[in-house]
Amino acid sequence: MSEAFEALARLVAAGDVVVLSGAGLSTESGIPDYRGPSGASRRHTPMTYQEFTRDPLARRRYWARSHLGWQMIARAAPNEGHRAVARLQAAGLLGGIITQNVDGLHTAAGATGVIELHGRLDEVTCLDCGNATGREELHRRLSEANPGFDARVAHVNPDGDVDLPDEAVTGFRTVDCALCGTGMLKPDVVFFGETVPALRVADCFALVEGARALLVLGSSLTVMSGRRFVLRAARHGIPVAIVNQGVTRGDTYAALRLDAPLGATLRALADRCAAAPAPV
């Protein structure tokens, strides 16, 4: 093992580590990230909250693309990296887990108490009456409203959105809230132009400030939503370790930097630090 890995193992073995994960952790589950080696750069501008709520045509485009993307997200299973994080938590070495991902794979791998910074794609909220439903129920309703809709998907983005030409979504029918009958439905995720709930951010800051170390996994830290926790850790003199393929905007604050595949690296880390080895 490299000297950087050995240093990382010593850091994690000492405990009280808070994990901050990004899209790069889920690439081995078949969900490409935006900027990493999987190369799933967007071909269209991400949907903003303002556009989604004000423009019916934009909302139809979003739901058509997301309807197809959800089928790919729903099939994704936790990979070695997610399972390793859950093992480290079970071993009592983690003080908390914060994820920028909306795929729910940390929880599916067995982790508990995960703070999902940007929400979850498998939950849907009515913006009028507040009713919350599961995404599978919405998927069923959209499928019934759009029989035969099966446009070809080039790739899916980490937020479940896919790239489709405008002509492919012509005629796609959206549905309203099944409870109040007229309410606008939105996935329970934070859109661009929308702010993360203040209490959720405060909880994340509290975790970071109480940690002995912050471990960043699979995030380029390009947007402030995640980078602010690295800045907060640095401000409080809390060591930051980063495991990511490629450079990040937090590298200058990192006491430890490891450029390596997430799955194999985290499995080796859990094997070294957690009491019980992973099953073969």
Side-chain angles (χ1 to χ4, degrees), residues 139-176:
H139 183 73
R140 180 189 63 76
R141 294 180 62 209
L142 286 173
S143 295
E144 290 175 352
N146 298 277
F149 181 71
D150 60 353
R152 176 176 292 183
V153 175
H155 61 77
V156 61
N157 294 307
D159 58 3
D161 200 3
V162 302
D163 290 325
L164 289 177
D166 286 345
E167 58 268 21
V169 305
T170 301
F172 186 85
R173 296 179 58 200
T174 60
V175 296
D176 293 323

Side-chain angles (χ1 to χ4, degrees), residues 7-68:
L8 177 63
R10 290 192 296 270
L11 186 77
V12 172
D16 288 329
V17 175
V18 167
V19 164
L20 170 64
S21 69
L25 186 63
S26 293
T27 58
E28 293 177 36
S29 294
I31 304 175
D33 62 4
Y34 291 124
R35 305 171 181 87
S38 57
S41 298
R42 282 185 179 272
R43 292 176 174 83
H44 61 263
T45 303
M47 179 69 63
T48 67
Y49 179 79
Q50 293 75 17
E51 187 180 15
F52 181 87
T53 55
R54 297 172 184 171
D55 186 346
L57 295 181
R59 194 158 55 249
R60 181 181 69 181
R61 287 196 302 272
Y62 173 83
W63 276 122
R65 298 191 309 233
S66 187
H67 179 57
L68 296 176

Side-chain angles (χ1 to χ4, degrees), residues 59-239:
R59 194 158 55 249
R60 181 181 69 181
R61 287 196 302 272
Y62 173 83
W63 276 122
R65 298 191 309 233
S66 187
H67 179 57
L68 296 176
W70 167 248
Q71 299 175 56
M72 302 175 71
I73 296 290
R75 289 196 299 267
N79 61 52
E80 283 191 325
H82 298 110
R83 292 191 293 270
V85 171
R87 287 174 59 206
L88 291 170
Q89 184 187 48
L93 299 175
L94 303 185
I97 301 169
I98 304 166
T99 185
Q100 298 171 266
N101 300 336
V102 296
D103 52 37
L105 293 179
H106 273 300
T107 300
T112 60
V114 180
I115 298 182
E116 289 158 319
L117 190 63
H118 299 145
R120 287 183 63 117
L121 200 61
D122 62 357
E123 297 173 353
V124 179
T125 301
C126 174
L127 296 182
D128 288 2
C129 73
N131 184 52
T133 56
R135 183 63 182 264
E136 286 296 339
E137 171 64 15
L138 176 62
H139 183 73
R140 180 189 63 76
R141 294 180 62 209
L142 286 173
S143 295
E144 290 175 352
N146 298 277
F149 181 71
D150 60 353
R152 176 176 292 183
V153 175
H155 61 77
V156 61
N157 294 307
D159 58 3
D161 200 3
V162 302
D163 290 325
L164 289 177
D166 286 345
E167 58 268 21
V169 305
T170 301
F172 186 85
R173 296 179 58 200
T174 60
V175 296
D176 293 323
C177 175
L179 182 64
C180 69
T182 59
M184 182 187 304
L185 297 178
K186 174 184 172 293
D188 194 17
V189 299
V190 178
F191 279 22
F192 282 79
E194 192 177 8
T195 58
V196 178
L199 288 177
R200 193 180 302 169
V201 175
D203 287 343
C204 292
F205 277 140
L207 274 183
V208 171
E209 291 171 8
R212 197 186 52 78
L214 176 65
L215 175 57
V216 179
L217 303 175
S219 176
S220 65
L221 300 171
T222 299
V223 296
M224 184 56 74
S225 180
R227 191 166 73 254
R228 58 184 156 184
F229 302 118
V230 171
L231 297 177
R232 180 65 62 96
R235 187 176 307 137
H236 285 264
I238 297 165

